[in-house]
Amino acid sequence: MEKTLTIEGMACMHCEARVKKALEELNGVEQALVSHEKGNAVVTLSSDVADDVLKAAVEAHDYKVISVQ
């Protein structure tokens, strides 16, 4: 299963790394492909992870999640 998060506020590869680490530390997240250029993260899940949990992990690092699809 994949979910795509639209994220506002990432400006560089350092931002990508912070978001990637935050998402991949969550139980059920296998991989996060993050792009500051596209302003998104594509998350591959091994089990269901609530949208709110994904959003909270990113927003804890001062980025804004616009949507989760």
Side-chain angles (χ1 to χ4, degrees):
M1 175 194 283
E2 280 188 355
K3 291 188 179 183
T4 301
L5 290 76
T6 303
I7 304 168
E8 211 172 66
M10 295 188 297
C12 63
M13 293 187 71
H14 176 73
C15 298
E16 287 179 10
R18 287 179 67 192
V19 171
K20 179 178 177 69
K21 184 173 189 253
L23 289 168
E24 289 182 347
E25 287 178 345
L26 296 173
N27 286 335
V29 175
E30 285 184 9
Q31 178 181 0
L33 300 175
V34 184
S35 171
H36 74 278
E37 293 172 345
K38 294 180 182 177
N40 71 11
V42 178
V43 182
T44 304
L45 305 172
S46 59
S47 60
D48 191 34
V49 179
D51 293 353
D52 290 346
V53 172
L54 296 170
K55 183 176 177 178
V58 173
E59 292 189 343
H61 293 277
D62 297 324
Y63 303 104
K64 182 172 178 154
V65 176
I66 305 302
S67 68
V68 180
Q69 299 176 349

